[in-house]
Amino acid sequence: MGRGFAVVADEVRKLSERTGQATQEIAVMIQEIQVSSDQSHSCMEEAVNRVKSGLNLAEQGGDAIARIRQGAVGVDGVVNDISHALKEQGQASQDIAQHVERIAQSASTNAEAAVSTSQAIDSMHRLADNLRTLVSSFRV
C-alpha cells in the first residue's frame, strides 16, 4: 500500500509539474495574445486617425474646389464684361473713323472752295484793275 501510494504520489507530482508548465505556457500565450491585441488596437487607432485626417483633407479639398469654382465664375463674368466693352469700343472706333472721314471730306471740300474763292478774288482784282483803267480814261 505504501508502495502504491508512492507511485500515485509520484504521478500526482508529475501531473502537478506538467500542469504548472502548461499553466506557464498558457500564461505566456495569453501575454503574447495581449501584446498582439494591444498592437492591433494601436494599429486600428492609427488607421482611424488616418481616416479622420483623410476626411478632413477631402473636406478641405472640396472647399478649395468650391472657392476655385466661385473664382472661375467671377473671372468668367469679368471676361464677358471686357468682351462687351471691347465690342462697344470697336463700334465707337468705327464711328470715330467715319466722323474723321467726313471731316476730311469737308476739309477737302473747303480747300477746293478756298481755291475757287481765291481764283474768283484774283479774277475780281483783275476786273477791278481793268475797270480802274477804263474809268481813268474818262475825265469829268
Side-chain angles (χ1 to χ4, degrees):
M1 251 189 160
R3 201 169 171 200
F5 182 74
V7 170
V8 171
D10 189 44
E11 287 297 321
V12 170
R13 182 186 54 76
K14 287 180 186 177
L15 183 61
S16 176
E17 285 177 6
R18 279 188 286 179
T19 302
Q21 288 175 350
T23 303
Q24 286 179 354
E25 289 174 5
I26 291 171
V28 168
M29 285 183 189
I30 290 173
Q31 189 177 11
E32 288 175 357
I33 290 171
Q34 285 177 338
V35 168
S36 180
S37 176
D38 289 344
Q39 288 174 348
S40 295
H41 186 284
S42 294
C43 287
M44 282 190 229
E45 283 182 356
E46 185 178 334
V48 167
N49 288 336
R50 286 185 181 181
V51 168
K52 286 180 182 178
S53 175
L55 286 173
N56 287 336
L57 289 174
E59 287 178 7
Q60 290 173 1
D63 292 344
I65 288 172
R67 286 191 305 272
I68 289 169
R69 183 170 184 229
Q70 288 174 349
V73 167
V75 168
D76 186 43
V78 170
V79 168
N80 286 336
D81 291 346
I82 290 171
S83 175
H84 182 71
L86 288 174
K87 286 178 185 176
E88 287 180 353
Q89 285 182 345
Q91 183 61 43
S93 294
Q94 287 178 353
D95 291 345
I96 290 170
Q98 289 173 353
H99 290 300
V100 167
E101 187 175 331
R102 286 184 196 144
I103 291 170
Q105 289 173 352
S106 294
S108 176
T109 303
N110 287 345
E112 289 173 4
V115 168
S116 293
T117 303
S118 176
Q119 290 172 350
I121 289 173
D122 284 343
S123 176
M124 287 184 77
H125 278 297
R126 276 183 261 133
L127 285 173
D129 286 342
N130 281 341
L131 188 57
R132 271 191 222 123
T133 305
L134 290 173
V135 169
S136 67
S137 60
F138 294 107
R139 301 229 178 228
V140 183

